[in-house]
Amino acid sequence: MALTAALGNEHMNALNKCKVLMVGAGGIGCELLKNLVLTGFTDIELIDLDTIDVSNLNRQFLFRKEHVGKSKAEVAKESALKFNPDAKIKAYHDSIFSSEFGLDFFKGFTVILNALDNRAARNHVNRMCLAADIPLVESGTAGYLGQVNPIKKGMTECYECQPKPSAQKSFPGCTIRNTPSEPIHCVVWAKHLFNQLFGEEDPDEDVSPDTEDPELTADAGKAALDAEAKKDSIGGIERKSTRAWAVETGYNAEKIFNKLFRDDIKYLLSMETLWKERRPPQCLDFHDLPGKDTQSLSTRSTDVWSVQECADHFSRCMTELKQDLAGRGDSGMLVWDKDDNHAMDFVTSVANIRAHIFGIPLKSGFEIKSMAGNIIPAIATTNAIIAGAIVMETLKILVGKMDKCKQVYLNRVPNDRKRLLVPCALDPPKPKCYVCSSKPECSVRLNSSKVTLKTLKDKILKGYLNMIAPDVEIDDGKGTILISSEEGETEDNEDKFLSDFGVGNNTRLKCDDFLQNYSLIVSVVYVEKLEGEGEFEVVGDISECHPAEDEASASTNGISSSAKQTAEEDDDLVVIEDLEITDTNQALEIEDISESRKRPAEDVQPPVMAKRRAAEGGDSEDIIEIS
Amino acid sequence: MEVEDNMETITEDEAELYDRQIRLWGLDAQRRLRAASVLLIGLKGLGAEVAKNIILSGVKAVTLMDPNMIDEEDKMSQFFVSSAPMGQNRALASAAPAQLLNPMVKVTADASDPSDKDDGFFAEFDVICATGCKNSLQCRLDNLCQEKKIKFFSGDIFGFYGFMFSDLGRHEYLHEEIKKRKKDDEDKEDEGITITREVTNFSRLEDELKFDWTADTPGMKKKIRQTPSAFFITRVYEEFLELHGRRPTVATMDMDTKELQNLRILVLNKLGVPAKCIPEDFYKYGFGELSPVCAIVGGVLGQEIIKAVSQKDAPLNNFFLFNGVNDEGMVDKVSL
């Protein structure tokens, strides 16, 4: 057989015995499944919870327009079977977090291949593979960049050895509320407004002028407050919640427009210190807007709408969203979604109206979607190259040559050593990794009389430390149980504070996740008040790059954030190049060492249209909430 | 590509379908893509990967040309026809599954031999990409393309090895760079995008292959050392293809192995490079076309076609060489 001849008997024998699990059937997954089937992998299982969207079709070539809305796993399987009808492929339209995929499930495979789009799932599969002691090939792409990382317990770094800093930017509240200077500030404000009007109200997302702006002197703040009191008595606009007020007006577009874009702006103007060295904002009136003389109403997402067009879209969206909200019942609320046209057009129009007020350039709906949805661009070719590289590394693992495996980075342009694909030596495990070391430990700084069990469970253990269903007991010899993963056992305690259970400085909490087969000792470091705004801070080896309160998946695409960090450090490479290398093999070794931490450096730049790229992955792949 | 006068705006349907890539390369690049006609010669594993990548990207039209029949080796890399009955023409059998990838692209098939086509036939294309072709045909097409200002690409895969070559003539493109800039009114930095118009000049394939490696200088020794092994290795296979009018096959493995070993010596002597440039056991890894190798080289080749057509970003100049035995994927210009 031709394949046997091409691969050699050793590979072919290993392939025949191999059972492979693919996690993810999106951008990388479609390409990977094709490569696996053609290369002679005949026992393949794949898991993906996602369904097919039109915006997948430019690269996820196993899917077509008629498949939109269907299971990615199922359709990928059907399409790939056409390449080799004899292949055995099993598809699960399910979440990898499901308890169905426990340790025994993972142990049934020769190798696990990740083709994922978010960090939470990557962390989870990493832990499952460590627990099952099965090799994992991790991967990610973002635009033109990509990487492949083979991982094996005890031999290489695990996915969580390297801290992955948040790629999310946050903006000071006063910038968003008082002094926006960039389109993104207006976009964030518009999303906050959406939540205030239709979604879950969050006190951190206030859209009204901020009288506690540090730029304001005490007097100025007082003057503004006085002015506000006056206005409230005269204009009858009480400082009640934006939502309550909007409901009272019946979501009247004109009233809401004039409050947000006329009255609130007047109020901001009264804070004179803010505008001494800034261009002051300009109030708008609903009936006298720039562009009102033209009759057109563009609906094209690639056009930049005039202010009048934005106001028209604003009015329309207000009506539509009001109906959407009514459809959710009495206590229902809307969740902002970039793929919901009403929600997206609302943010586009609001962000642009506010941008006009502050003299900030207006943007098309297409561009605003990039910012608001934090979409990471994705193309077929990068995914194809990375999926090819995954199989090349997997073949080595199958014949027991894991030591020959490399981390592979795809650059945008060749590096100084002509390499477009940069192979780097595998790094050994970090001895103090809070996931893969033999006795995982970390410390958390918090005020135990202010942090509840619920915060410990949801924000610290699940949100930050990526557990799925933690059990927590105090490591005090008595084994006081704080949190149980069994339903109905500890829920009643959730609103109590840690101190209520005697948790204080130096208390050791034994945290277990049964599904992940993962145990972690969390040492509490008592602090009265943290420097930042968060409720807790994880410290120790893993803390350096983790800003506290990083709940959302930041760089979801697996493009290691350290890639970005090393971006500026590439000078080292030049030094290496200067060494006169006399032998090719030696050169290779030196490169392996020197480049082992050199990620696709110079290339990590946001693409032109998506300024705020975090890092891809997903299809939902590509999406990260920014606010 | 005379598209400047005919830059219709992207429709909402296109914006939706191409959303994730327009966010990478922009609307203008997508408009240029939409105006481009591509001739893709050779529909083996590499050709199928290139076809997939450029059809997905949304070019105007792709003509698939291959005079040969589907064979046993297509099962391991040519996904359009990997389970199709043998004996059909590869291009004709690939057209329907290729068309399904993107209804907005006009996909046509041509079962004729490119060697039989006269020069006029080629003039209608914006891009010609020749895979699995003899070296002499690649050179003829390259010269023809430069005469007619057509972007030329070629490439091939031999087992674990592969290469891509491009000749874009005098190529103009937009280069984007993100620079930190100081803002005037505030003391903080901000990212700004600067766009510059750049020009790169390419060499002809036949000139690259005529390069004289024999100078006995430290500089030349260093150059030889730094030239990717896949360059020398793929020369042996190109020589085989030229001499025998076919690739080494599994059916004739013993015979072909001997010939490859002979040709290794011939290529080493012809170029005048040291024996270590081509490992003695190179032939073990050069049968068939491995699917992941096709994916890697086809991914790079597809992206280079997209770059050339969209005139966006610096192109790779001019070889991409992949050696799957040691994970090398390098870019080199021999005549530099």
Side-chain angles (χ1 to χ4, degrees):
Chain A
M1 208 182 135
L3 188 60
T4 312
L7 279 172
N9 286 327
E10 193 187 10
H11 280 121
M12 217 53 221
N13 291 338
L15 269 175
N16 288 332
K17 284 181 272 178
C18 157
K19 184 172 174 180
V20 58
L21 173 66
M22 244 182 71
V23 192
I28 297 174
C30 281
E31 292 286 339
L32 181 57
L33 186 59
K34 168 207 66 189
N35 294 347
L36 291 175
V37 168
L38 293 173
T39 311
F41 288 77
T42 49
D43 195 350
I44 303 167
E45 302 198 2
L46 67 145
I47 302 178
D48 197 313
L49 180 64
D50 212 358
T51 54
I52 297 157
D53 182 82
V54 176
S55 65
N56 301 146
L57 303 181
N58 78 321
R59 63 196 183 284
Q60 300 179 17
F61 80 108
L62 301 179
F63 312 143
R64 299 194 301 271
K65 199 144 195 179
E66 63 264 33
H67 297 135
V68 167
K70 294 187 173 167
S71 153
K72 285 189 175 180
E74 297 287 350
V75 176
K77 171 193 154 177
E78 293 306 322
S79 296
L81 278 175
K82 297 201 181 85
F83 305 150
N84 178 8
D86 297 329
K88 202 173 107 198
I89 306 176
K90 188 168 180 186
Y92 300 89
H93 180 207
D94 205 343
S95 164
I96 189 64
F97 296 107
S98 159
S99 57
E100 187 188 335
F101 308 119
L103 206 53
D104 287 340
F105 176 81
F106 276 83
K107 280 181 176 166
F109 296 95
T110 320
V111 62
I112 315 289
L113 308 179
N114 267 357
L116 281 163
D117 56 15
N118 66 86
R119 194 187 287 169
R122 285 191 173 98
N123 288 334
H124 180 69
V125 175
N126 178 50
R127 292 171 192 197
M128 297 306 291
C129 289
L130 290 170
D133 200 9
I134 302 293
L136 165 68
V137 183
E138 171 55 56
S139 61
T141 62
Y144 299 111
L145 309 178
Q147 67 182 53
V148 177
N149 299 74
I151 294 170
K152 177 86 165 65
K153 183 182 179 180
M155 180 182 172
T156 72
E157 280 189 344
C158 81
Y159 178 68
E160 294 171 271
C161 275
Q162 292 287 339
K164 315 261 186 309
S166 166
Q168 287 180 270
K169 265 187 201 165
S170 61
F171 303 96
C174 50
T175 302
I176 300 301
R177 291 166 65 185
N178 292 358
T179 52
S181 58
E182 304 270 338
I184 182 65
H185 300 151
C186 300
V187 173
V188 169
W189 188 86
K191 284 181 71 181
H192 288 178
L193 178 65
F194 179 91
N195 285 340
Q196 295 285 327
L197 291 177
F198 308 105
E200 188 168 9
E201 285 181 272
D202 180 340
D204 292 339
E205 295 185 350
D206 201 334
V207 291
S208 62
D210 181 4
T211 52
E212 290 170 24
D213 192 316
E215 278 186 53
L216 295 170
T217 60
D219 282 354
K222 188 170 177 298
L225 279 173
D226 291 347
E228 181 181 17
K230 203 170 146 195
K231 182 177 67 181
D232 282 352
S233 57
I234 294 171
I237 302 169
E238 288 173 36
R239 289 258 152 228
K240 64 171 76 171
S241 96
T242 311
R243 172 71 149 273
W245 179 77
V247 170
E248 260 172 43
T249 69
Y251 286 102
N252 180 305
E254 181 181 342
K255 283 185 180 163
I256 293 175
F257 186 103
N258 281 338
K259 176 193 182 299
L260 294 170
F261 304 122
R262 187 188 64 200
D263 303 344
D264 280 356
I265 301 302
K266 271 187 198 160
Y267 178 54
L268 271 180
L269 282 167
S270 72
M271 301 180 187
E272 286 167 13
T273 27
L274 293 180
W275 316 113
K276 279 185 182 147
E277 296 187 1
R278 282 196 187 89
R279 173 197 176 280
Q282 289 169 341
C283 301
L284 287 176
D285 187 281
F286 191 67
H287 290 295
D288 185 19
L289 295 172
K292 67 173 171 170
D293 299 329
T294 54
Q295 296 298 311
S296 69
L297 179 59
S298 168
T299 55
R300 293 174 54 87
S301 63
T302 47
D303 288 347
V304 177
W305 298 337
S306 70
V307 176
Q308 179 64 56
E309 283 175 308
C310 287
D312 292 345
H313 283 291
F314 173 78
S315 302
R316 171 179 60 83
C317 291
M318 200 60 82
T319 311
E320 287 165 340
L321 290 168
K322 180 186 161 190
Q323 282 168 4
D324 294 344
L325 184 61
R328 300 291 164 94
D330 281 347
S331 58
M333 57 180 74
L334 302 179
V335 176
W336 190 83
D337 175 2
K338 68 172 181 16
D339 293 319
D340 176 319
N341 287 336
H342 301 161
M344 190 59 233
D345 287 352
F346 175 88
V347 164
T348 301
S349 54
V350 167
N352 275 332
I353 293 166
R354 187 162 170 91
H356 174 82
I357 288 170
F358 287 91
I360 298 165
L362 273 53
K363 296 281 174 186
S364 71
F366 184 86
E367 291 169 293
I368 288 181
K369 191 170 174 178
S370 274
M371 295 187 252
N374 218 344
I375 298 172
I376 291 93
I379 53 176
T381 49
T382 304
N383 288 333
I385 295 165
I386 288 304
I390 293 171
V391 176
M392 297 308 284
E393 297 311 307
T394 305
L395 288 173
K396 290 183 231 172
I397 294 174
L398 293 185
V399 294
K401 290 180 181 160
M402 181 97 191
D403 58 316
K404 296 271 193 290
C405 279
K406 297 281 196 294
Q407 308 179 54
V408 180
Y409 295 89
L410 172 63
N411 280 356
R412 185 168 182 176
V413 293
N415 69 8
D416 292 344
R417 303 182 55 81
K418 303 181 182 176
R419 292 180 189 275
L420 192 67
L421 283 162
V422 185
C424 302
L426 299 179
D427 291 316
K430 287 269 174 299
K432 291 199 168 176
C433 174
Y434 77 99
V435 175
C436 73
S437 63
S438 55
K439 285 184 179 159
E441 282 198 45
C442 72
S443 301
V444 179
R445 302 174 73 217
L446 49 74
N447 182 335
S448 55
S449 54
K450 288 193 174 157
V451 169
T452 61
L453 278 187
K454 189 172 171 57
T455 298
L456 173 66
K457 185 177 89 175
D458 291 344
K459 292 194 175 170
I460 302 179
L461 298 177
K462 287 187 178 178
Y464 192 93
L465 294 166
N466 297 300
M467 291 186 165
I468 305 298
D471 288 280
V472 181
E473 61 179 57
I474 301 177
D475 194 16
D476 55 0
K478 288 179 280 184
T480 310
I481 292 174
L482 294 183
I483 296 169
S484 167
S485 58
E486 293 289 322
E487 242 175 85
E489 291 191 351
T490 50
E491 276 83 349
D492 292 346
N493 288 337
E494 283 195 345
D495 291 332
K496 292 185 183 160
F497 296 107
L498 296 182
S499 55
D500 295 341
F501 301 90
V503 175
N505 199 30
N506 291 329
T507 303
R508 286 160 63 87
L509 303 175
K510 199 167 163 293
C511 309
D512 287 290
D513 190 292
F514 179 73
L515 180 62
Q516 294 177 339
N517 211 19
Y518 173 49
S519 296
L520 174 70
I521 298 289
V522 174
S523 300
V524 172
V525 178
Y526 181 89
V527 284
E528 186 63 33
K529 191 172 188 322
L530 286 166
E531 297 77 40
E533 288 178 7
E535 292 175 89
F536 67 92
E537 188 187 2
V538 179
V539 289
D541 283 280
I542 59 165
S543 70
E544 288 138 284
C545 298
H546 265 298
E549 283 281 333
D550 167 18
E551 289 169 38
S553 53
S555 68
T556 55
N557 65 336
I559 286 286
S560 144
S561 313
S562 33
K564 304 178 179 196
Q565 294 203 312
T566 47
E568 282 85 30
E569 297 167 17
D570 235 13
D571 297 353
D572 298 9
L573 280 184
V574 180
V575 177
I576 295 297
E577 186 73 328
D578 287 346
L579 296 172
E580 180 55 38
I581 293 158
T582 50
D583 173 77
T584 324
N585 291 329
Q586 192 187 341
L588 260 177
E589 279 169 27
I590 288 177
E591 174 167 271
D592 290 344
I593 296 160
S594 66
E595 292 194 345
S596 62
R597 294 255 60 87
K598 300 300 166 197
R599 309 290 160 94
E602 63 275 59
D603 316 308
V604 183
Q605 298 170 341
V608 63
M609 306 210 49
K611 273 194 175 176
R612 298 171 43 74
R613 141 153 130 214
E616 155 188 83
D619 311 5
S620 23
E621 129 188 329
D622 334 58
I623 309 342
I624 308 140
E625 294 295 321
I626 55 167
S627 59
Chain B
M1 275 158 285
E2 302 300 323
V3 300
E4 305 291 343
D5 300 334
N6 186 27
M7 294 271 273
E8 291 167 39
T9 46
I10 295 286
T11 66
E12 284 290 287
D13 279 352
E14 288 171 297
E16 195 182 12
L17 175 62
Y18 301 127
D19 185 280
R20 293 304 184 273
Q21 67 198 43
I22 292 174
R23 290 179 199 281
L24 190 63
W25 51 58
L27 282 165
D28 282 348
Q30 190 65 43
R31 284 191 203 111
R32 290 199 167 85
L33 274 171
R34 190 174 55 178
S37 293
V38 182
L39 172 64
L40 179 54
I41 301 169
L43 260 293
K44 286 176 60 64
L46 177 61
E49 285 286 342
V50 174
K52 174 200 71 188
N53 292 335
I54 58 176
I55 290 170
L56 288 172
S57 79
V59 293
K60 178 180 166 195
V62 178
T63 301
L64 307 175
M65 177 180 281
D66 194 324
N68 300 307
M69 305 297 163
I70 297 170
D71 64 29
E72 172 74 19
E73 289 184 11
D74 290 324
K75 285 189 199 305
M76 72 166 98
S77 57
Q78 218 287 27
F79 51 89
F80 290 134
V81 300
S82 51
S83 64
M86 278 181 250
Q88 289 183 60
N89 173 273
R90 246 188 230 130
L92 298 180
S94 299
Q99 180 69 72
L100 285 177
L101 294 173
N102 189 347
M104 295 202 218
V105 178
K106 187 176 171 223
V107 177
T108 48
D110 188 333
S112 42
D113 189 328
S115 317
D116 298 339
K117 296 280 187 186
D118 58 33
D119 291 0
F121 167 81
F122 298 102
E124 64 179 282
F125 297 98
D126 302 304
V127 174
I128 294 178
C129 174
T131 68
C133 292
K134 278 190 196 180
N135 204 260
S136 51
L137 177 58
Q138 291 175 49
C139 290
R140 177 196 151 201
L141 289 172
D142 181 20
N143 292 337
L144 183 69
C145 282
Q146 296 325 309
E147 218 173 87
K148 303 195 182 291
K149 307 252 179 280
I150 296 169
K151 305 297 182 189
F152 175 77
F153 296 86
S154 66
D156 216 333
I157 307 288
F158 307 97
F160 283 71
Y161 313 116
F163 80 93
M164 174 215 83
F165 169 81
S166 60
D167 182 357
L168 309 185
R170 183 181 184 278
H171 183 67
E172 289 187 21
Y173 63 95
L174 295 178
H175 174 71
E176 271 175 11
E177 206 161 336
I178 291 161
K179 289 193 171 137
K180 300 259 188 215
R181 58 169 184 217
K182 281 269 186 195
K183 282 172 77 181
D184 300 336
D185 52 335
E186 287 172 57
D187 270 350
K188 59 183 178 187
E189 282 190 336
D190 168 30
E191 281 181 346
I193 296 165
T194 57
I195 298 177
T196 50
R197 187 171 284 278
E198 309 277 342
V199 178
T200 306
N201 289 297
F202 283 72
S203 314
R204 302 298 85 79
L205 178 60
E206 64 180 12
D207 293 336
E208 290 289 290
L209 299 180
K210 274 184 210 152
F211 182 78
D212 183 356
W213 298 85
T214 54
D216 187 18
T217 62
M220 184 56 73
K221 287 200 173 96
K222 186 177 172 188
K223 178 179 174 63
I224 291 171
R225 220 167 36 234
Q226 292 181 347
T227 298
S229 58
F231 174 79
F232 299 112
I233 293 170
T234 53
R235 286 308 104 198
V236 178
Y237 290 93
E238 292 283 275
E239 198 70 42
F240 188 106
L241 191 54
E242 192 68 41
L243 285 173
H244 301 282
R246 66 170 181 87
R247 308 153 60 83
T249 67
V250 174
T252 50
M253 198 167 179
D254 292 343
M255 187 173 85
D256 291 351
T257 298
K258 286 205 185 76
E259 177 66 355
L260 285 168
Q261 285 168 321
N262 292 336
L263 291 177
R264 169 177 175 266
I265 305 295
L266 184 129
V267 166
L268 288 172
N269 289 339
K270 202 162 153 184
L271 297 178
V273 294
K276 67 176 179 188
C277 288
I278 307 177
E280 278 183 44
D281 65 349
F282 79 101
Y283 59 86
K284 291 182 186 166
Y285 308 99
F287 285 96
E289 286 183 291
L290 277 193
S291 160
V293 179
C294 293
I296 291 169
V297 178
V300 173
L301 183 38
Q303 192 55 44
E304 288 309 301
I305 292 176
I306 292 166
K307 271 192 219 169
V309 168
S310 61
Q311 295 175 269
K312 186 80 188 295
D313 294 330
L316 301 180
N317 190 352
N318 50 13
F319 278 98
F320 172 72
L321 297 146
F322 184 75
N323 182 343
V325 178
N326 60 11
D327 285 327
E328 274 181 3
M330 299 170 72
V331 175
D332 206 1
K333 186 169 188 177
V334 170
S335 61
L336 203 65

